[in-house]
Amino acid sequence: MEGDLVPLNLERVSGILPLGGTILGTSRTNPFKEPDGAERILRNIGALGIDAVVAIGGEDTLGVALRLYDEHGVKVVGIPKTIDNDLSGTDYTFGFDTAVHVATEAIDRLHTTAESHNRVMVVEVMGRHAGWIAVMAGLAGGADAILIPEYPLTVEDICDLVQKRAARGKRFSIIVVSEGANLIWRSGVEQTVTQSAETDDFGHIRLGGVGSVLAKEIERITGYETRVTILGHVQRGGTPTARDRVLATRFGIKGAEMVQNGQWGMMAALRGDAVEAIPLAEAVKEYKLVPRGLYELARTFFG
Ligand code: F6P
């Protein structure tokens, strides 16, 4: 929108492979929220001689890219990047594996205090609409209960699991919760915990804090000492895993090929072990949620 360019020559991109984040900078700006947002983009594309836009991001970024293509004929290709892994049409998005790795390591470290102090440890991870990080890190870290937006458990169900473990002599538990999960009580009361009522340009509320409310409730109902750790942006930073670096590299190469082939309005996607071009419309039409089978598998180990 601002025509603020950084030429990505060899010097500029040399050495970025092991870095997290983005050398370009990012924001939650929605050009379609600005009165002349799309027009400014079109003007800049023309004035700066931009042949194609390679949009790298999640549902918001790629949703904007799709509208620029559909409504304004901008030559776009998409690359799926979000730690949430909730884009349809691709098995994985890059960033996700690193977030799962960080969350798993945190759970492993929290096990130490949980076990030595006989405490219930609640770990809140990111995941706005889908519980991918919670399920994968919970499975990898041996969580005793996992609460995600897709498959609600009541607060009392979680307390029952904690008590079931205590009856088996396990006086500690690890509970993983997605920031986007609602709290539900058997009485039917439901609560969405947010940090602020403000919404961003895409209408998203700022999540965070569900773990704290859950921890207080577990302590109130069971009487067991309960602590919470909110991982927050720790999950989004630092050194990417080898798997994420390889996936991002493969997606990057595919994106360049797609530009060469003129495959506009398409996104690079991982299907099995193949990187393919799929319509952007398919990727953003609905969230890719955790399949019931995977959640049930994790559930086998609850309590
Ligand atoms: O959309 C990716 C994500 O990491 C979500 O999991 C999380 O809710 C959100 O971004 C946090 O956004 P921000 O950094 O703008 O607070």
Side-chain angles (χ1 to χ4, degrees), residues 113-114 116-122 162 171-175 214-228:
T113 301
S116 56
H117 289 63
N118 283 318
R119 283 182 186 157
V120 179
M121 296 298 232
V122 175
V162 167
R171 292 173 53 218
F172 70 92
S173 291
I174 304 272
I175 316 293
L214 179 62
K216 281 203 190 87
E217 278 298 281
I218 293 173
E219 195 164 274
R220 181 181 70 80
I221 296 171
T222 65
Y224 297 130
E225 190 177 4
T226 307
R227 297 292 170 90
V228 61

Side-chain angles (χ1 to χ4, degrees), residues 120-122 147 153-163 175 177 182-191 193 209-228:
V120 179
M121 296 298 232
V122 175
L147 182 59
L153 286 177
T154 65
V155 169
E156 291 88 348
D157 290 339
I158 294 170
C159 292
D160 287 351
L161 291 167
V162 167
Q163 269 153 345
I175 316 293
V177 55
N182 275 358
L183 290 183
I184 301 172
W185 285 262
R186 282 189 187 147
S187 62
V189 171
E190 188 161 343
Q191 185 184 353
V193 183
V210 62
S212 307
V213 181
L214 179 62
K216 281 203 190 87
E217 278 298 281
I218 293 173
E219 195 164 274
R220 181 181 70 80
I221 296 171
T222 65
Y224 297 130
E225 190 177 4
T226 307
R227 297 292 170 90
V228 61

Side-chain angles (χ1 to χ4, degrees), residues 35-143:
D36 62 343
E39 289 65 32
R40 281 169 64 192
I41 291 175
L42 295 177
R43 264 202 309 276
N44 284 330
I45 286 177
L48 298 163
I50 293 171
D51 299 312
V53 174
V54 181
I56 307 169
E59 106 256 13
D60 296 330
T61 301
L62 298 180
V64 167
L66 180 60
R67 283 190 65 182
L68 287 173
Y69 169 70
D70 274 349
E71 297 169 24
H72 300 278
V74 176
K75 293 173 175 171
V76 302
V77 303
I79 305 289
K81 184 267 331 159
T82 162
I83 64 161
D84 289 353
N85 198 39
D86 57 359
L87 273 173
S88 290
T90 183
D91 293 349
Y92 288 98
T93 56
F94 74 91
F96 172 63
D97 189 62
T98 304
V100 170
H101 190 82
V102 171
T104 303
E105 195 190 339
I107 294 170
D108 288 348
R109 289 178 187 274
L110 290 167
H111 247 113
T112 311
T113 301
E115 209 162 344
S116 56
H117 289 63
N118 283 318
R119 283 182 186 157
V120 179
M121 296 298 232
V122 175
V123 188
E124 181 182 310
V125 298
M126 279 184 169
R128 180 177 286 281
H129 309 281
W132 285 102
I133 298 176
V135 167
M136 292 303 206
L139 259 173

